[in-house]
Amino acid sequence: MTAPRLYKTEAIILRQRRLGEADGILTLYTPAFGKLDAKAKGVRKTTSRMSGHLQPLTRCMLQMAQGHVSDIVTGCETLDSFQPLREDLELLSRAVYVCELTDKMIPERLPGYVTYRLLLDTLRRLEKDEHTDAALRFFEMRLLDQSGFRPEIERCVACGAALQAEQNFFAPQAGGAVCRACVPGLAGPRVLSLNALKVLLLLQRGSYNDIARLRMAPELAEEIERHLRSYLVYVLERDLNSAAFIEKLRRDGHRQPSVSL
């Protein structure tokens, strides 16, 4: 969708980077125009009235003007600052991860009502500090689907046969799950337990409420996270800084969210 010369849009600020001495470039995710970069003049000055409204991880209403290179923010109003996320390092790390993943997965200027809703709902779920791992896994699977990288879970990606109710394998480079007969010769397949297969299928087919009601052993939750993370790394051709930071927090002994998927 092409924006008019002057327009308003709701947006979630994914990140901000410096431009010159006092300006900033914002990466925004909007419902009507998708992801876009916008210039915020003077936003890094201590006297800026807009500075507090244009921090990463803020949902706001923006007044925008089209520019030659990038659009320009001319006014703003905070709709939601997600303050509980900012006050808890564990929750903040996961919220930053959600924003970074959206930024890396979604191309610019692609209308994104459904993805915007997914992003907003996920931040609100994290803000409640309930089922945080479930919220992340649901977000990851749905974002993969919406960006055109849905992994194949129901059938073997090599032979096309329906997967049997048994131990199978997951091969990111092949695009999803692989049956036992097709594993030889594939690069880097990992064991996919039957319970993990069931959870991945539910992540694709079910609602968030279906996922949040699940309770599982930590080992199974770790397996689900490992498979999705390996697939995302393959799709993006790199790991995310925020994913590595979440892992560091765990190693350093920060509180663990309750396990529910």
Side-chain angles (χ1 to χ4, degrees):
M1 179 182 295
T2 302
R5 181 165 180 77
L6 298 173
Y7 64 98
K8 286 187 176 182
T9 181
E10 184 176 320
I12 294 173
I13 300 175
L14 302 179
R15 64 183 174 120
Q16 180 187 128
R17 56 192 187 275
R18 295 184 176 186
L19 178 65
E21 294 296 323
D23 300 341
I25 296 292
L26 308 175
T27 299
L28 313 172
Y29 200 85
T30 71
F33 311 112
K35 189 181 75 171
L36 59 99
D37 283 349
K39 183 177 180 180
K41 295 182 177 180
V43 71
R44 290 169 42 233
K45 292 181 178 178
T46 56
T47 56
S48 172
R49 295 182 179 180
M50 295 196 299
S51 177
H53 300 278
L54 298 178
Q55 296 301 311
L57 200 61
T58 302
R59 173 173 164 255
C60 48
M61 181 63 69
L62 301 177
Q63 300 174 33
M64 306 283 289
Q66 280 191 340
H68 294 295
V69 178
S70 61
D71 292 357
I72 300 168
V73 178
T74 60
C76 56
E77 175 189 358
T78 296
L79 299 177
D80 198 337
S81 65
F82 299 106
Q83 192 60 34
L85 298 179
R86 302 174 188 277
E87 296 172 351
D88 185 298
L89 187 58
E90 285 278 356
L91 297 180
L92 179 61
S93 66
R94 285 158 171 77
V96 170
Y97 170 75
V98 165
C99 289
E100 185 182 7
L101 188 57
T102 302
D103 185 19
K104 300 302 182 185
M105 289 290 296
I106 303 298
E108 293 187 359
R109 298 283 182 173
L110 187 67
Y113 292 97
V114 175
T115 301
Y116 184 85
R117 188 77 242 176
L118 174 67
L119 175 60
L120 179 57
D121 287 346
T122 302
L123 292 175
R124 286 174 170 168
R125 287 162 185 158
L126 292 174
E127 190 175 32
K128 294 178 181 178
D129 194 13
E130 296 179 357
H131 315 308
T132 54
D133 281 349
L136 289 190
R137 301 294 85 78
F138 185 80
F139 176 80
E140 289 166 342
M141 186 65 86
R142 293 307 166 94
L143 190 66
L144 283 166
D145 195 2
Q146 292 169 18
S147 57
F149 293 99
R150 177 188 177 101
E152 176 57 67
I153 304 297
E154 298 186 34
R155 295 182 174 275
C156 173
V157 294
C159 68
L163 293 174
Q164 299 300 309
E166 60 185 15
Q167 177 184 291
N168 291 281
F169 293 83
F170 189 81
Q173 294 180 348
V178 182
C179 69
R180 289 185 174 187
C182 294
V183 165
L186 286 180
R190 295 183 175 183
V191 171
L192 176 64
S193 68
L194 177 57
N195 285 336
L197 175 63
K198 291 178 179 179
V199 174
L200 289 173
L201 286 170
L202 187 61
L203 284 168
Q204 284 189 339
R205 300 170 177 172
S207 68
Y208 174 73
N209 288 335
D210 294 331
I211 304 303
R213 283 194 290 266
L214 285 180
R215 297 294 182 271
M216 65 174 63
E219 294 79 10
L220 180 56
E222 290 170 5
E223 182 185 352
I224 299 297
E225 180 177 1
R226 185 169 61 251
H227 288 315
L228 283 174
R229 184 172 177 182
S230 67
Y231 188 73
L232 286 165
V233 168
Y234 173 71
V235 169
L236 297 172
E237 299 182 343
R238 51 160 289 185
D239 202 358
L240 298 182
N241 294 331
S242 50
F245 184 65
I246 291 172
E247 190 62 33
K248 182 179 184 300
L249 289 179
R250 288 175 176 166
R251 292 197 306 267
D252 292 346
H254 284 257
R255 68 176 178 86
Q256 296 292 316
S258 58
V259 176
S260 62
L261 273 177

